């Protein structure tokens, strides 16, 4: 396999340097021989070379090579079909670039050949290794169609082709949500943001995809839910509007009829799922949610963020798993830009303290690395009152790496809040540490003082305030 991959790569580089005459006479003939070889490994290589070289084929060669590629997609050997499925997306992209707008018409190559091939490769009769590429190939179809529309403008031909995509391609990607193989569902979940981005400009497609994505967020397998959750913010970026279930439904007649639901942004529909995910039994899912949930705020606006997003974020800050709380704190920057952290400050403080005292030193180190960023968000008054003591206290930690990071933190805080603040709030507790019975703690205090001294402005403060503390340790 390694040898074949490198041979394919070399063949591609050589073909790019070949004169047109030799390319059409020798190289195209070589691809044809590989595509019809008896041994399946040669046919696997042909799948790659046909897709890579399509744009250089003349029209007669294109027709012949497309037929070879179609035969490879229907090959009796599963490994060949897997390789064909893996290269179908690149083949579609190159066909659209070479053929232009006419390949998407009713009699075009995309409609008559490649969509049927995609349907066959995505069917349940195929092995998992082939169906795994359904989502990736779906992205290629959507991107190719969007490119045609953006270059040529909308007309009857492109509109009809888009309608074909919605009716034939979108149902197949939606069907992967219920695939019997969790690996296929995981691949769909991990690629779903790309799928949405590719089909965003195709009218009507997103209305089918968002309900399918919500099913992925509720998948029985935790790995699938985690992959889907990691894409939450990216899917929420979609600029389309979708039917959004009303918060209070008036009657039974409208409860299940999506056509009567009010339309809203994708982010406003997905944010309603965040609260459910905060209660997920898998800590990996909740940790993934902590990384991305706050990014929805930029697409929701201030009012919707306060109403729908802040409550579940507060729940995550009180989560029993330290990684979840750490991920939320690490991603607060996006939320701060929309509403500030004043609403979270009371819940944020206990979460920071819990992480600062966590039994795992790597967790303590991680929260320390976010302290300068949090200081900017929380402001001087809140930070001085609540967190200064803990920042200096880390110099007493048993782990050397934590003590070194604490010294660096004090330097960063001095830069943020200024030398006068440092003299008032940092030097007094540092004066206590330099009298600690452990020489390691005293050494950490000296390191912190030396780092702070290098950035104090005006420099005279270093001589009058910091130097006496250091000299007092010389005796």
């Amino acid at each position: 396999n390694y040898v074949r991959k490198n041979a394919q790569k070399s063949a591609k580089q050589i073909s790019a340097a070949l004169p047109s005459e030799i390319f059409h006479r020798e190289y195209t003939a070589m691809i044809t021989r590989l595509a019809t070889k008896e041994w399946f490994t040669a046919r696997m290589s042909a799948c790659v070379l046909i897709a890579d070289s399509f744009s250089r084929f003349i029209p007669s060669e294109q027709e012949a090579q497309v037929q070879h590629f179609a035969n490879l997609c229907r090959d009796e050997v599963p490994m060949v079909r897997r390789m064909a499925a893996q290269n179908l997306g690149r083949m579609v992209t190159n066909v659209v670039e070479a053929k232009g707008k006419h390949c998407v018409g009713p009699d075009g190559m995309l409609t008559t050949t490649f969509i049927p091939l995609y349907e066959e490769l995505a069917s349940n009769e195929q092995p998992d290794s082939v169906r795994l590429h359904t989502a990736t190939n779906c992205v290629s179809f959507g991107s190719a169609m969007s490119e045609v529309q953006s270059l040529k403008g909308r007309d009857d031909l492109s509109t009809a082709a888009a309608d074909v995509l919605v009716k034939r391609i979108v149902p197949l990607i939606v069907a992967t949500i219920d695939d019997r193989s969790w690996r296929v569902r995981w691949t769909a979940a991990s690629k779903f943001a790309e799928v949405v981005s590719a089909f965003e400009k195709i009218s009507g497609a997103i209305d089918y995809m968002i309900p399918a994505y919500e099913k992925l967020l509720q998948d029985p397998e935790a790995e699938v839910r985690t992959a889907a959750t990691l894409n939450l913010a990216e899917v929420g970026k979609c600029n389309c509007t979708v039917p959004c279930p009303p918060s209070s439904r008036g009657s039974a007649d409208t409860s299940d009829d999506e056509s009567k639901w009010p339309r809203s942004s994708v982010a406003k529909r997905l944010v309603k799922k965040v609260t459910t995910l905060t209660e997920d039994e898998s800590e990996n899912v909740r940790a993934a949610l902590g990384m991305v949930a706050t990014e929805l705020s930029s697409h929701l606006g201030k009012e919707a963020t306060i109403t729908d997003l802040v409550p579940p974020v507060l729940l995550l800050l009180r989560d029993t798993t330290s990684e979840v709380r750490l991920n939320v704190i690490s991603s607060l920057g996006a939320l701060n830009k929309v509403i500030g952290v004043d609403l979270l400050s009371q819940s944020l403080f206990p979460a920071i303290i819990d992480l600062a005292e966590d039994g795992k030193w790597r967790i303590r180190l991680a929260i320390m690395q976010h302290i300068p960023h949090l200081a900017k968000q929380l402001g001087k008054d809140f930070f001085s009152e609540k967190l200064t003591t803990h920042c200096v206290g880390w110099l007493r930690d048993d782990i050397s790496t934590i003590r070194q990071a604490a010294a660096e933190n004090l330097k960063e805080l001095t830069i943020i809040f200024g030398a006068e603040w440092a003299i008032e709030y940092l030097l007094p507790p540092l004066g206590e540490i330099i009298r600690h019975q452990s020489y390691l703690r005293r050494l950490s205090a000296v390191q912190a003082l030396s780092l702070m001294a290098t950035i104090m402005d005006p420099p005279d403060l270093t001589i009058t305030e910091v130097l006496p503390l250091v000299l007092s340790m010389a005796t």
Side-chain angles (χ1 to χ4, degrees), residues 12-51:
K12 181 180 178 180
Q13 293 174 342
I14 292 171
S15 69
L18 289 176
S20 296
E21 181 182 352
I22 298 177
F23 178 87
H24 295 303
R25 186 179 69 243
E26 304 292 344
Y27 191 78
T28 303
M30 180 196 74
I31 294 178
T32 300
R33 291 195 300 273
L34 289 172
T36 55
K37 280 280 187 180
E38 181 178 355
W39 192 243
F40 74 92
T41 53
R43 302 199 297 276
M44 290 174 67
S45 295
C47 296
V48 179
L49 298 180
I50 291 174

Side-chain angles (χ1 to χ4, degrees), residues 347-386:
S347 297
L348 190 59
F349 176 66
I352 294 173
I353 299 306
D354 287 344
L355 292 169
E357 298 173 353
D358 195 273
K360 301 176 183 176
W361 71 268
R362 294 185 187 276
I363 296 294
R364 302 199 301 275
L365 178 62
I367 188 59
M368 288 176 60
Q369 292 170 344
H370 292 288
I371 286 296
H373 185 58
L374 286 171
K376 296 176 183 177
Q377 296 176 349
L378 294 171
K380 183 185 294 187
D381 294 338
F382 183 89
F383 194 90
S384 302
E385 179 184 354
K386 301 288 187 179

Side-chain angles (χ1 to χ4, degrees), residues 262-275:
R263 298 184 72 85
S264 65
S265 68
V266 173
K268 287 186 178 180
R269 174 161 176 166
L270 292 180
V271 75
K272 299 181 184 300
K273 299 294 179 183
V274 174
T275 300

Side-chain angles (χ1 to χ4, degrees), residues 237-385:
K237 287 181 180 179
C238 179
N239 293 321
C240 298
T241 60
V242 292
C244 187
S247 55
S248 57
R249 296 172 177 171
S251 65
D253 295 335
T254 62
S255 60
D256 297 321
D257 188 357
E258 291 194 15
S259 63
K260 297 182 180 180
W261 287 357
R263 298 184 72 85
S264 65
S265 68
V266 173
K268 287 186 178 180
R269 174 161 176 166
L270 292 180
V271 75
K272 299 181 184 300
K273 299 294 179 183
V274 174
T275 300
T276 303
L277 291 171
T278 61
E279 302 170 353
D280 197 282
E281 62 183 11
S282 170
E283 65 181 48
N284 291 329
V285 174
R286 302 196 306 275
L289 181 65
M291 294 172 62
V292 300
T294 58
E295 294 180 26
L296 286 174
S297 59
S298 59
H299 309 290
L300 290 172
K302 185 173 183 178
E303 184 178 347
T305 297
I306 294 173
T307 304
D308 298 322
L309 187 59
V310 169
V313 169
L314 292 175
L315 290 175
L316 291 172
L317 282 172
R318 295 193 291 269
D319 196 274
T320 56
T321 305
S322 57
E323 285 84 354
V324 176
R325 302 194 300 273
L326 179 61
N327 286 349
V328 176
I329 292 173
S330 303
S331 63
L332 283 178
L335 200 62
N336 183 50
K337 292 179 181 178
V338 179
I339 64 168
V341 294
D342 293 341
L343 293 173
L344 301 178
S345 58
Q346 297 306 316
S347 297
L348 190 59
F349 176 66
I352 294 173
I353 299 306
D354 287 344
L355 292 169
E357 298 173 353
D358 195 273
K360 301 176 183 176
W361 71 268
R362 294 185 187 276
I363 296 294
R364 302 199 301 275
L365 178 62
I367 188 59
M368 288 176 60
Q369 292 170 344
H370 292 288
I371 286 296
H373 185 58
L374 286 171
K376 296 176 183 177
Q377 296 176 349
L378 294 171
K380 183 185 294 187
D381 294 338
F382 183 89
F383 194 90
S384 302
E385 179 184 354

Side-chain angles (χ1 to χ4, degrees), residues 110-150:
L110 194 70
T111 308
T112 59
T113 302
F114 288 100
I115 289 181
L117 287 176
Y118 178 74
E119 291 173 334
E120 292 179 33
L121 293 172
S123 67
N124 287 328
E125 287 74 23
Q126 299 288 353
D128 296 357
S129 60
V130 176
R131 298 200 314 279
L132 280 174
H133 301 286
T134 300
T136 304
N137 291 331
C138 181
V139 173
S140 299
F141 275 100
S143 299
M145 189 61 244
S146 297
E147 181 180 350
V148 168
Q149 289 184 331
S150 63

Side-chain angles (χ1 to χ4, degrees), residues 361-419:
W361 71 268
R362 294 185 187 276
I363 296 294
R364 302 199 301 275
L365 178 62
I367 188 59
M368 288 176 60
Q369 292 170 344
H370 292 288
I371 286 296
H373 185 58
L374 286 171
K376 296 176 183 177
Q377 296 176 349
L378 294 171
K380 183 185 294 187
D381 294 338
F382 183 89
F383 194 90
S384 302
E385 179 184 354
K386 301 288 187 179
L387 292 174
T388 303
T389 303
H390 295 279
C391 290
V392 179
W394 277 319
L395 292 171
R396 300 186 179 94
D397 198 278
D398 293 335
I399 304 298
S400 173
T401 304
I402 299 293
R403 297 195 299 273
Q404 293 174 5
E408 291 287 345
N409 258 359
L410 297 185
K411 173 185 173 182
E412 294 297 321
L413 292 174
T414 302
I415 294 174
I416 294 170
F417 293 141

